[in-house]
Amino acid sequence: MTTAVTTPKHGGTGGRTAVAARARQVVKAYGAGETRVVALDHVDVDIARGEFTAIMGPSGSGKSTLMHCLAGLDTVTGGQIFLHDTEITGLKDKKLTQLRRDRIGFIFQAFNLLPTLNALENITLPMDIAGRKPDAGWLQQVVETVGLADRLRHRPTQLSGGQQQRVAVARALAARPDIIFGDEPTGNLDSRAGAEVLGFLRRSVDELGQTIVMVTHDPVAASYADRVLYLADGRIVDEMTRPTAEAVLDRMKDFDARGRTS
Ligand SMILES: Nc1ncnc2c1ncn2[C@@H]1O[C@H](COP(=O)(O)OP(=O)(O)OP(=O)(O)O)[C@@H](O)[C@H]1O
Ligand SMILES: [Mg+2]
């Protein structure tokens, strides 16, 4: 597979932008009758390839649900999800599992590393399970970019929180997925370790052409992205390109004020 990727820094407007993931009129409802909750309410979204997108919004607004649906980790109640040109809604389990394994990376808030494996073994685990041999050159590039070259033989308990999360990021990148999703990947880190991980995510977009979608509550984290999408009550209510932490914070204050008066 060739990856001729242009890397628009902060949302290049010129030229054709390929779409890495697409949601069309996606509805996700949980439960039935009186306990029915509509977590996503006819969401349309395009995630551009080679871009870093942040998803923000109040607790319960549907951020995790949207990401899980886009990543094929959860089914939708209505609408369609596409990864590149493949519609994943309606794919059979086996095909979906395969596609997820080959094309999607997921970074969880709580790292999800295996304690008995060292850093390198954790990074290559998904490929080992899939019976794929890691590309040695790429693996080295990923390990160097995340700054873990001298920690590869350490187990998770021997690593700092930031280093553990960088292992989780390297694991997501190692299989060269088309798109990486992170649900508050820096939520458990102090600001310094968080900055390390965010700086790395930014570089993987700029230098490796990676596509990243990240949920965050933090305006500073969002400022690393090219674009911020705002969710409220299961709908996309706003977006901002080239975000700065100040602008994101101001927008959040606006939403809070509106929320209080409505
Ligand atoms: N498995 C489930 N069963 C029932 N309701 C659910 C389920 N998962 C999520 N919900 C509901 O769907 C809505 C959206 O949840 P979601 O987890 O996507 O929110 P979120 O924006 O990620 O919030 P947070 O910032 O707190 O993580 C919430 O009202 C939640 O209660
Ligand atoms: Mg969530």
Side-chain angles (χ1 to χ4, degrees):
M1 196 170 66
T2 55
T3 44
V5 189
T6 51
T7 56
K9 287 186 187 148
H10 279 102
T13 47
R16 216 160 35 96
T17 341
V19 176
R22 205 149 35 111
R24 284 295 174 272
Q25 292 291 300
V26 166
V27 173
K28 176 68 183 181
Y30 292 106
E34 280 180 16
T35 59
R36 185 174 150 98
V37 173
V38 178
L40 296 176
D41 187 3
H42 298 91
V43 171
D44 284 320
V45 66
D46 281 15
I47 303 295
R49 192 165 173 193
E51 243 183 41
F52 189 170
T53 305
I55 300 179
M56 301 190 84
S59 180
S61 58
K63 302 180 297 294
S64 296
T65 305
L66 176 59
M67 230 170 36
H68 290 163
C69 289
L70 285 172
L73 292 170
D74 207 347
T75 56
V76 301
T77 309
Q80 296 169 294
I81 307 271
F82 299 86
L83 288 173
H84 285 289
D85 297 326
T86 311
E87 185 185 343
I88 64 164
T89 28
L91 275 188
K92 294 249 183 333
D93 266 1
K94 199 172 159 201
K95 275 250 181 293
L96 185 60
T97 304
Q98 196 179 357
L99 183 137
R100 252 195 337 246
R101 201 177 59 199
D102 294 343
R103 290 166 60 175
I104 293 173
F106 212 98
I107 308 164
F108 295 91
Q109 183 168 0
F111 320 150
N112 282 4
L113 302 180
L114 284 190
T116 54
L117 301 183
N118 69 31
L120 181 60
E121 290 161 346
N122 265 290
I123 292 170
T124 57
L125 180 67
M127 282 177 288
D128 292 342
I129 291 172
R132 278 169 60 194
K133 226 175 134 36
D135 173 335
W138 174 254
L139 193 59
Q140 191 182 345
Q141 195 181 344
V142 168
V143 163
E144 275 168 18
T145 321
V146 290
L148 283 169
D150 58 350
R151 288 288 184 280
L152 288 178
R153 306 287 162 200
H154 288 60
R155 299 234 173 112
T157 52
Q158 301 167 319
L159 299 169
S160 72
Q163 289 168 338
Q164 289 180 56
Q165 191 57 306
R166 282 187 278 148
V167 173
V169 173
R171 179 177 60 187
L173 274 165
R176 306 193 98 150
D178 289 340
I179 184 163
I180 290 180
F181 295 96
D183 197 349
E184 300 191 57
T186 56
N188 275 324
L189 302 178
D190 64 31
S191 57
R192 185 174 158 183
E196 247 172 49
V197 169
L198 289 162
F200 171 69
L201 291 176
R202 182 71 247 171
R203 279 210 306 286
S204 70
V205 170
D206 293 337
E207 293 167 21
L208 309 175
Q210 188 62 58
T211 306
I212 296 180
V213 182
M214 167 183 81
V215 168
T216 183
H217 284 104
D218 174 10
V220 174
S223 72
Y224 283 78
D226 297 303
R227 180 165 79 127
V228 182
L229 300 175
Y230 294 90
L231 271 179
D233 297 328
R235 292 164 187 253
I236 294 190
V237 291
D238 204 358
E239 71 170 84
M240 184 189 286
T241 46
R242 304 176 184 226
T244 62
E246 293 73 23
V248 171
L249 193 59
D250 282 348
R251 189 74 54 101
M252 286 163 79
K253 286 183 193 151
D254 280 355
F255 284 136
D256 284 350
R258 266 187 257 164
R260 273 195 298 277
T261 53
S262 66

